[in-house]
Each structure stands twice: as C-alpha cells, then as structure tokens.
Amino acid sequence: MKRSSTLPLIPTTPVAMFDIWKVGLMACELWSTSLSTITMRNHLWQTQPFFSPKMMQENQRMVTEKLEASMEAGLVIQKALFSSMNGQLAPWWVTSKHTMKPYHQRSSANSRRLAQ
C-alpha cells in the first residue's frame, strides 16, 4: 500500500537537519540542567529543615512549575494531534522541539536560580 502525503522520518533539507541538531542540543541541555537542579535541591534538603518557610516555598514552587510545564507540553501535543487530524502534519523534530521547550525553559531557570 502506498502512503499519501506522509512526512519523511529522515530530514531531506539542510534546514531540517539543523532543526534536528537543535532538538538534540536542547535535549542535552535539558538533561544537564535537570541533573544540576536535582543535585542542588538535594543539597538544600540536606542542609535546611523541611518545615522552614523558605524550603516549603521552594518545594511548592518546584511542584507548581512542573505542573505548569506538563500542561504546556500537553497543549503542544494536543495542537499537533488536532493539526494532524486536519491533514497538517508536522515533522517529529518540530513537535519534539515544541514539546521540550517548556521543560527546558523551567529547568534552565531553576538551575540558574538555585545556583545563586
């Protein structure tokens, strides 16, 4: 059976290759900033009492930011799904970049904030 109007799994243009490179770079940055954030949060939990107002505020902020990022990523996935239902397919590297963006922004911001 022939497929009609499908997107290639492998990019065919230099611009698409550059987009894939950006997705890989974003994934590596997300991974490294997430690890540093986890390390800094563990250090905070070991050096300060859990019930202190500063720690309670930081823990609440952590949970709120994760929920917000997951809702934004879910919205991106829903938009991609609805677009594909209408025949407007986006390549996997574009959808991946848009889906990781909220997590990447918050992870980078957390890492900078906790490093101060």
PDB file of all heavy atoms in Angstrom, residues 16 28 36 42:
ATOM      1  N   ALA A  16      16.080  21.301   7.886  1.00  0.00           N
ATOM      2  CA  ALA A  16      15.529  20.249   8.749  1.00  0.00           C
ATOM      3  C   ALA A  16      16.639  19.578   9.555  1.00  0.00           C
ATOM      4  O   ALA A  16      16.457  19.265  10.733  1.00  0.00           O
ATOM      5  CB  ALA A  16      14.778  19.226   7.915  1.00  0.00           C
ATOM      6  N   CYS A  28      20.100  17.654  25.362  1.00  0.00           N
ATOM      7  CA  CYS A  28      21.305  17.572  26.196  1.00  0.00           C
ATOM      8  C   CYS A  28      21.310  18.657  27.271  1.00  0.00           C
ATOM      9  O   CYS A  28      21.680  18.387  28.422  1.00  0.00           O
ATOM     10  CB  CYS A  28      22.554  17.686  25.335  1.00  0.00           C
ATOM     11  SG  CYS A  28      22.881  16.223  24.355  1.00  0.00           S
ATOM     12  N   SER A  36      21.719  19.031  37.418  1.00  0.00           N
ATOM     13  CA  SER A  36      22.269  20.019  38.349  1.00  0.00           C
ATOM     14  C   SER A  36      21.189  20.542  39.292  1.00  0.00           C
ATOM     15  O   SER A  36      21.450  20.778  40.471  1.00  0.00           O
ATOM     16  CB  SER A  36      22.940  21.165  37.595  1.00  0.00           C
ATOM     17  OG  SER A  36      21.994  21.935  36.904  1.00  0.00           O
ATOM     18  N   ASN A  42      18.699  18.531  46.340  1.00  0.00           N
ATOM     19  CA  ASN A  42      19.088  17.569  47.372  1.00  0.00           C
ATOM     20  C   ASN A  42      19.990  18.221  48.414  1.00  0.00           C
ATOM     21  O   ASN A  42      19.857  17.944  49.613  1.00  0.00           O
ATOM     22  CB  ASN A  42      19.791  16.364  46.750  1.00  0.00           C
ATOM     23  CG  ASN A  42      18.820  15.389  46.151  1.00  0.00           C
ATOM     24  OD1 ASN A  42      17.663  15.344  46.533  1.00  0.00           O
ATOM     25  ND2 ASN A  42      19.282  14.618  45.191  1.00  0.00           N
TER      26      ASN A  42
END
